[in-house]
Amino acid sequence: MTTRVPRMNDAESRAWLALVGTSQLLPAALDAQLQADSGITHFEFMALSALNTAPELTLRTSDLAVRTYATLPRLSKVVSRMEARGLVERVPCPGDARASNIRLTRDGRKALLLALPGHLALVRAEVIGRLSEPQLEALAEALEPVLEALADDPRFPWARGGARRAETDATAG
Amino acid sequence: MTTRVPRMNDAESRAWLALVGTSQLLPAALDAQLQADSGITHFEFMALSALNTAPELTLRTSDLAVRTYATLPRLSKVVSRMEARGLVERVPCPGDARASNIRLTRDGRKALLLALPGHLALVRAEVIGRLSEPQLEALAEALEPVLEALADDPRFPWARGGARRAETDATAG
DNA sequence: TAGCGTTACTTGCCACGGCAACCAAGTACC
DNA sequence: GGTACTTGGTTGCCGTGGCAAGTAACGCTA
C-alpha cells in the first residue's frame, strides 16, 4: 500500500488550496450570518429547507439525515433542539412505530423564510456573485463528481448517497 | 436593507449545492483519513505543514493562526495538545516577551511525513484525480476570489487576510 | 408465539471550538 | 517615570458533534 503518490503540480496545488480554504471559511461564514440574522445554524437552515420542499413538509428522520449529509446522532440532537424551539415536530410514523417523521411547523417555516433573504444575499455577495456564468458551470462540473465521490466512498459511511438525493436547498423557494 | 435578492438560476444553484456539499463532506473525510493514518486532525496537519515550510521550522503563534485560518484561542488549545504529544514546542520569542514562537519538533516532522502519502493519496483519489487539467485551472480561478472575499470580509474577522498568506500546504514537500 | 437478528433511532460520554474574560508585556503620552 | 491604551496569547464555560452503547419495534423462522 506504499504506492508512490506523485506530488502536486501548480494547477493542482492552487485548486486544492483554494478548495480547502473555502471549505474552512465558508461554513463559518454561513453560520455567522444565519445565526445573527435569525438564530439558526446553517445546518438547521439546510434541514428546514429540506423539510420545506418535502411533501406534507415532512420527512423521515433518516431521509433528512441523508439530505443534510448528517449522521443520525447529530440529526437527532439537532431535531431535539429545534423541536424545543418549536421549529419542527416529531410525529410518529404510521406503519412503522420505530421511525419518526419530522414535520416543519408554521414557526419553522417562518424562521426559514426570515433567514432566506440574508442567506441568499450572502451567498451572492461572497460566492456566486463573483463568478461568471461559464465559471459557475465549470465549478458545478468540477465539484459534482467530487461530491459524489465523497458521498459514495465506503470509507465515509456518514452520508451514503447523499450527493444524489440532496437536490434540496432553499434555492428554489 | 430589504433589497430584493434574485433567486438562483440553474447554474448558480448547481454550483452552490456542489460547493456547500463539498464543504460539508471534505473536512470530515480529511479528518478521518489523517486520524486513522497517523492520529492527527486535518487542522493539525495544516499547522504542521505550515511550520515545516517556515524558516527555522518556527512561526509566531498569530502568524500560524492566519496561515491556518484559525482563531487564536483555537490555535492556542491545539498547540497545547500537540505540545503535550511532543509534536511542537513553544519557545519564547526574543524581542517580544508577550509573543511565543511555535517550533516543529523532530517528532512533529516525523508525524507530518508519516501522514503525507496517505493524505496526498486521498486528495488525489477524491478530488484532483477526478478533474482534468483545465478543470483544475477553472476550479482555482473560481475559488481563489471566493476565498479572498471570505478572508477579507470584515464581518468574519477570524482569518483576516488568511487567503493571501496561506500559500503553505505540504503540497510542495 | 417465541426467539433471533436487524432497523431506526436516542442517549452518554468525551473531544473540540467559540466567545468573553483575563493576564502580561509593550507603547504613548504627559 | 507613572498612567492609560493596545497587543499577544491563554483560560473558563458552554454548545455542538462523534462514537459506541442502549432501546424499542419490526420481521423472519420455526
Side-chain angles (χ1 to χ4, degrees):
Chain A
M1 277 313 254
T2 43
T3 15
R4 191 81 181 83
V5 174
R7 295 223 308 274
M8 293 189 200
N9 66 30
D10 189 56
E12 290 169 342
S13 174
R14 281 179 58 210
W16 175 244
L17 290 178
L19 181 59
V20 167
T22 308
S23 303
Q24 195 100 339
L25 295 185
L26 190 55
L30 295 171
D31 273 339
Q33 178 267 316
L34 285 166
Q35 201 64 252
D37 232 44
S38 41
I40 61 177
T41 64
H42 180 241
F43 179 78
E44 290 171 335
F45 177 85
M46 288 195 304
L48 295 176
S49 298
L51 291 174
N52 190 41
T53 60
E56 307 285 325
L57 305 178
T58 300
L59 284 173
R60 290 275 290 253
T61 304
S62 36
D63 282 1
L64 185 55
V66 169
R67 283 175 165 75
T68 52
Y69 307 108
T71 61
L72 225 30
R74 177 182 186 185
L75 182 63
S76 178
K77 289 168 190 177
V78 171
V79 165
S80 295
R81 294 194 286 263
M82 290 200 294
E83 195 178 21
R85 284 184 283 154
L87 303 181
V88 301
E89 54 189 352
R90 279 189 240 246
V91 286
C93 178
D96 190 340
R98 294 168 301 177
S100 75
N101 284 337
I102 320 284
R103 220 180 97 78
L104 186 62
T105 63
R106 203 148 273 286
D107 279 2
R109 211 174 130 81
K110 261 189 236 171
L112 177 63
L113 297 180
L114 177 71
L116 198 43
H119 178 66
L120 285 177
L122 180 70
V123 170
R124 203 164 279 282
E126 306 283 340
V127 186
I128 63 181
R130 303 188 170 272
L131 304 175
S132 66
E133 190 80 9
Q135 278 187 307
L136 287 166
E137 293 281 4
L139 188 59
E141 290 298 326
L143 290 185
E144 277 166 356
V146 170
L147 179 56
E148 197 171 321
L150 287 169
D152 290 345
D153 192 314
R155 278 178 294 181
F156 318 125
W158 328 295
R160 287 309 290 244
R164 206 54 64 34
R165 272 165 230 176
E167 309 295 289
T168 26
D169 202 37
T171 52
Chain B
M1 275 312 251
T2 43
T3 17
R4 191 81 182 86
V5 175
R7 294 224 308 274
M8 293 188 200
N9 67 30
D10 190 54
E12 291 170 341
S13 172
R14 280 180 58 211
W16 174 244
L17 290 178
L19 181 59
V20 166
T22 308
S23 303
Q24 195 101 340
L25 295 185
L26 190 55
L30 295 171
D31 273 339
Q33 179 266 314
L34 285 167
Q35 200 65 251
D37 232 42
S38 42
I40 60 178
T41 64
H42 179 242
F43 180 80
E44 290 171 335
F45 177 85
M46 289 196 301
L48 295 175
S49 298
L51 291 173
N52 190 42
T53 60
E56 308 285 326
L57 305 179
T58 300
L59 284 174
R60 289 274 289 256
T61 306
S62 35
D63 282 3
L64 185 54
V66 170
R67 283 176 165 74
T68 52
Y69 306 108
T71 61
L72 225 31
R74 177 181 187 184
L75 182 62
S76 178
K77 289 168 191 178
V78 171
V79 165
S80 295
R81 293 193 286 265
M82 289 200 295
E83 196 178 21
R85 284 184 282 153
L87 302 182
V88 300
E89 52 188 352
R90 278 187 241 244
V91 287
C93 176
D96 191 339
R98 295 168 299 179
S100 78
N101 284 337
I102 319 285
R103 219 180 99 77
L104 185 62
T105 64
R106 204 147 271 290
D107 279 3
R109 210 175 130 82
K110 260 190 236 169
L112 177 62
L113 296 180
L114 177 71
L116 198 43
H119 178 68
L120 285 176
L122 180 69
V123 171
R124 203 164 277 284
E126 307 284 341
V127 185
I128 64 180
R130 301 190 172 272
L131 304 175
S132 66
E133 191 80 8
Q135 278 186 309
L136 287 166
E137 294 280 5
L139 189 58
E141 291 297 326
L143 289 185
E144 278 165 356
V146 170
L147 180 55
E148 198 171 322
L150 288 170
D152 290 345
D153 192 315
R155 277 179 295 182
F156 317 126
W158 328 296
R160 290 303 295 238
R164 203 60 58 34
R165 271 164 232 178
E167 309 294 288
T168 23
D169 202 35
T171 53

